[in-house]
Amino acid sequence: MSERVLSIAHRAANEPELLREAFAAGADVVEADIWPYRGQLEVRHLKTMGPVPLLWDKWKLASARAPRRLMAELLEGLPQVVGLMLDLKGHDRGAAGVVAAASRNLGGGGRLYVCARDWEMLEPFRESAATIVHSAGRNSEVARLLQLLESGDSTAISIHQKFLTRALVERIRTHAEILMTWPVNDVGRMRELVGWGVNGITTDSLAVVRAMRSHEGEHIAPPANDDGERGR
């Protein structure tokens, strides 16, 4: 690699066992989904269903009565040598301020990253040492994100990988110090994106994490016979 490319273990900090596996594989950063709920900061990807005692996400259901992991537990057990990405869910601006206060001891230097698709949730972190990451998962969000970048209001972003082309990556990297993308669960796709200039790979695959670490210090070239503009 010509520059350090961050390997970010998607949702790995949501569960202790996943965190241990990601750390052992060599992930630079582990991601946690943070939901404010009834005065608590819960670590989970699943969403609530109002009065129905279930949590859900797409085709997955779980009991809402089972014990839930709290952000304080995550911070207490986090290995000192791994970075943490907090993905702020929902739209509770007050809760975002509580998250900022609770995580201030993690400091900067690649130790703490904070992302959200509701960008107002990131405001409480502007006075902190965290790296603020504006995230985009829809076409309309990508268009707004480009405006934000070109106005100089952001230097670190995360875009769903389906929107990226070589030309878009080059345009973004003229303004952004950090360009992350998700979910990248194939080693070939990781190589392609890094070859274009992406320098943060969020993945559910420990094989991708290991491949990135095994090539540390080397250039990861895109796959052969690639025209650089493959549509997705």
Side-chain angles (χ1 to χ4, degrees), residues 59-72:
W59 301 280
K60 183 175 181 179
L61 291 174
S63 172
R65 296 192 175 97
R68 304 187 198 178
R69 194 177 194 203
L70 301 180
M71 181 176 156

Side-chain angles (χ1 to χ4, degrees), residues 11-15 31-36 40-46 68-75 86:
R11 306 177 186 172
N14 288 355
E15 300 176 26
E31 184 195 49
D33 298 300
I34 307 297
W35 282 98
Q40 301 276 14
L41 296 174
E42 298 185 350
V43 182
R44 56 179 166 83
H45 186 75
L46 298 178
R68 304 187 198 178
R69 194 177 194 203
L70 301 180
M71 181 176 156
E73 300 170 33
L74 165 63
L75 296 181
L86 299 177

Side-chain angles (χ1 to χ4, degrees), residues 195-214:
W196 292 353
V198 173
N199 60 354
I201 297 292
T202 300
T203 180
D204 300 286
S205 169
L206 295 183
V208 170
V209 172
R210 295 188 187 100
M212 294 176 69
R213 295 290 72 85
S214 68

Side-chain angles (χ1 to χ4, degrees), residues 77-128:
L78 187 70
Q80 291 295 315
V81 294
V82 69
L84 176 64
M85 170 82 80
L86 299 177
D87 188 352
L88 306 182
K89 302 298 188 181
H91 306 280
D92 187 335
R93 275 61 165 179
V98 176
V99 174
S103 60
R104 69 165 62 95
N105 291 333
L106 288 177
R111 176 70 169 152
L112 178 63
Y113 300 81
V114 183
C115 71
R117 288 173 64 180
D118 179 348
W119 300 341
E120 290 188 26
M121 297 281 285
L122 300 172
E123 291 301 315
F125 294 87
R126 289 201 176 273
E127 302 303 319
S128 74

Side-chain angles (χ1 to χ4, degrees), residues 15-214:
E15 300 176 26
E17 183 58 32
L18 293 178
L19 192 156
R20 286 191 288 270
E21 291 174 355
F23 178 63
D28 296 303
V29 179
V30 291
E31 184 195 49
D33 298 300
I34 307 297
W35 282 98
Y37 187 72
R38 296 182 177 177
Q40 301 276 14
L41 296 174
E42 298 185 350
V43 182
R44 56 179 166 83
H45 186 75
L46 298 178
K47 297 176 277 290
T48 57
M49 297 180 67
V52 179
L54 291 171
L55 302 175
W56 71 279
D57 181 47
K58 295 183 180 178
W59 301 280
K60 183 175 181 179
L61 291 174
S63 172
R65 296 192 175 97
R68 304 187 198 178
R69 194 177 194 203
L70 301 180
M71 181 176 156
E73 300 170 33
L74 165 63
L75 296 181
E76 288 174 5
L78 187 70
Q80 291 295 315
V81 294
V82 69
L84 176 64
M85 170 82 80
L86 299 177
D87 188 352
L88 306 182
K89 302 298 188 181
H91 306 280
D92 187 335
R93 275 61 165 179
V98 176
V99 174
S103 60
R104 69 165 62 95
N105 291 333
L106 288 177
R111 176 70 169 152
L112 178 63
Y113 300 81
V114 183
C115 71
R117 288 173 64 180
D118 179 348
W119 300 341
E120 290 188 26
M121 297 281 285
L122 300 172
E123 291 301 315
F125 294 87
R126 289 201 176 273
E127 302 303 319
S128 74
T131 298
I132 294 174
V133 183
H134 294 83
S135 185
R138 296 190 178 95
N139 270 315
S140 59
E141 293 172 344
V142 174
R144 288 178 55 226
L145 194 54
L146 291 173
Q147 294 175 351
L148 192 73
L149 280 172
E150 291 168 1
S151 68
D153 290 334
S154 180
T155 59
I157 65 170
S158 181
I159 296 181
H160 195 288
Q161 61 92 17
K162 68 183 178 182
F163 297 111
L164 293 181
T165 63
R166 183 189 296 275
L168 182 58
V169 170
E170 291 175 354
R171 179 181 175 184
I172 290 169
R173 285 305 308 274
T174 62
H175 303 283
E177 296 177 8
I178 299 174
L179 169 56
M180 301 175 177
T181 191
W182 90 94
V184 183
N185 296 327
D186 175 79
V187 172
R189 178 62 168 159
M190 176 272 289
R191 290 176 176 273
E192 176 182 55
L193 291 164
V194 172
W196 292 353
V198 173
N199 60 354
I201 297 292
T202 300
T203 180
D204 300 286
S205 169
L206 295 183
V208 170
V209 172
R210 295 188 187 100
M212 294 176 69
R213 295 290 72 85
S214 68

